[in-house]
């Protein structure tokens, strides 16, 4: 496992990491019980405030932990954690302690009570911003209130799910900045 | 531009292409007027029905075309179209005809009136499934009602936006299918 050095990152620019669509790990805690789930169904919907909408199924063990605690951490794993990602997605917190079973380290967050996963490239502390879409749509609108991001590499090597057990790994980065109008960046 | 051979694709498995989080091109038409917009803020939320939630800002010229026609096509570009993607995102249909200006070909869809972009790897015909989140959240819940997908390559080389004019290109694909429980695939 990598031992990242992390720094505070402006919350209004976490799109750099979330907008490309990677699999993330959601960690949560409620009344002393913690859990981790995998998530690929999320999208950025605002920069300021920094909002991310996550589809969390009510059959997920984390659903109630997050709904009741009104917070979570969105953790961003790199490809070296792929087997842990698969194991997390294929087990339930109702049966095992995923932190212990997968030898993952809980790091204390600054603002929320949910633990951060130390082995991840980035950790985004989130507060539930809007709960009105949970009941009918399973959509949780979170505000990223604090971001901890590895100082290197500049872009993480993320994993993106395509279904059927197959993951796409992030490739090279290319800039087209010169072709953008300033207001469109 | 590539000249793809396309086939019908099961709509309940379009996650293969949308869940990894690529930039897509939304084409729309209302009362004879058509437009194209870029979108990176979308997420799958259901397989059956095949639902995709898209954040479309009310300042986008396409917003009213889609809201009024209640349909669109989600087109998936590969990296060879990157400059067209940037040009589409940095111009407005209020001023130019993007199909004409960018020399893109309108292909007739099977079910919806909105045109498909022939030069894209895949075209997903969509009907507005739920309009209740448009007003307060700018979220359009679409049902993919018909999917046209290139017969090759098996996985497209997609572009994923990170902000600041920088795109991540999709990399290699790896399978972990043997580590999945059948019900989790």
């Amino acid at each position: 496992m990598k031992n990242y050095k992390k720094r505070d990152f402006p919350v209004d620019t976490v799109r750099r990491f979330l907008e490309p669509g990677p699999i993330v790990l959601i960690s949560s805690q409620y009344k002393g019980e913690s859990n981790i789930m995998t998530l690929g169904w999320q999208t950025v919907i605002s920069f300021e405030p920094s909002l991310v909408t996550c589809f969390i199924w009510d059959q997920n063990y984390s659903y109630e932990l997050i709904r009741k605690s009104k917070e979570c951490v969105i953790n961003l794993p790199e490809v070296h954690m792929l087997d842990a990602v698969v194991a997390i997605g294929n087990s339930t917190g109702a049966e095992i302690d995923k932190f212990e079973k997968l030898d993952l380290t809980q790091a204390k967050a600054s603002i929320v009570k949910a633990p951060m996963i130390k082995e991840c490239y980035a950790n985004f502390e989130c507060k539930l911003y809007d709960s009105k879409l949970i009941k009918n749509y399973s959509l949780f609108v979170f505000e990223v209130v604090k971001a901890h991001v590895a100082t290197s590499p500049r872009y993480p090597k993320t994993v993106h799910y395509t279904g059927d057990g197959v993951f796409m790994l992030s490739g090279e980065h290319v800039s087209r900045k010169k072709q953008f109008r300033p207001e469109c960046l």
Side-chain angles (χ1 to χ4, degrees), chain A:
Chain A
M1 287 292 177
K2 288 189 182 179
N3 197 5
Y4 299 108
K5 186 183 170 193
K6 293 178 190 170
R7 63 179 167 116
D8 286 351
F9 199 86
V11 292
D12 61 346
T13 51
V14 296
R15 74 181 305 191
R16 182 196 292 183
F17 309 107
L18 295 176
E19 197 168 312
I23 286 290
V24 294
L25 300 174
I26 308 287
S27 52
S28 56
Q29 186 173 77
Y30 181 68
K31 290 192 173 176
E33 186 169 12
S34 57
N35 195 30
I36 315 173
M37 65 173 283
T38 54
L39 184 74
W41 291 8
Q42 77 277 348
T43 181
V44 173
I45 61 163
S46 168
F47 301 135
E48 291 183 279
S50 179
L51 302 182
V52 183
T53 295
C54 300
F55 181 95
I56 298 174
W57 192 31
D58 63 8
Q59 295 302 302
N60 279 113
Y61 189 70
S62 296
Y63 178 90
E64 287 294 341
L65 301 182
I66 297 168
R67 196 181 64 81
K68 288 177 178 164
S69 66
K70 297 184 172 55
E71 53 178 48
C72 73
V73 177
I74 298 176
N75 305 273
L76 183 62
E78 284 199 284
V79 65
H80 64 82
M81 288 182 68
L82 182 54
D83 290 335
V85 166
V86 173
I88 290 165
N90 282 270
S91 58
T92 171
E95 291 168 9
I96 60 162
D97 178 331
K98 298 189 192 181
F99 276 102
E100 191 181 312
K101 180 92 174 177
L102 296 163
D103 204 19
L104 296 172
T105 312
Q106 296 195 13
K108 195 171 159 42
S110 304
I111 296 174
V112 305
K113 290 203 184 78
M116 306 195 297
I117 304 172
K118 187 170 180 278
E119 289 79 4
C120 285
Y121 173 89
N123 315 96
F124 305 117
E125 300 186 37
C126 294
K127 289 270 193 187
L128 187 60
Y129 181 83
D130 186 330
S131 62
K132 292 195 290 291
L133 306 184
I134 296 175
K135 191 179 172 197
N136 291 331
Y137 297 90
S138 288
L139 292 175
F140 289 67
V141 181
F142 292 115
E143 179 178 2
V144 178
V145 292
K146 178 98 176 168
H148 312 258
V149 176
T151 53
S152 99
R154 180 170 170 80
Y155 296 102
K157 185 80 171 176
T158 46
V159 302
H160 301 244
Y161 195 52
T162 73
D164 204 34
V166 175
F167 294 84
M168 179 272 280
L169 310 185
S170 64
E172 61 178 318
H173 288 77
V174 298
S175 179
R176 287 293 185 278
K177 192 169 181 175
K178 288 180 182 169
Q179 293 163 231
F180 274 67
R181 300 195 322 201
E183 68 273 22
C184 291
L185 279 170

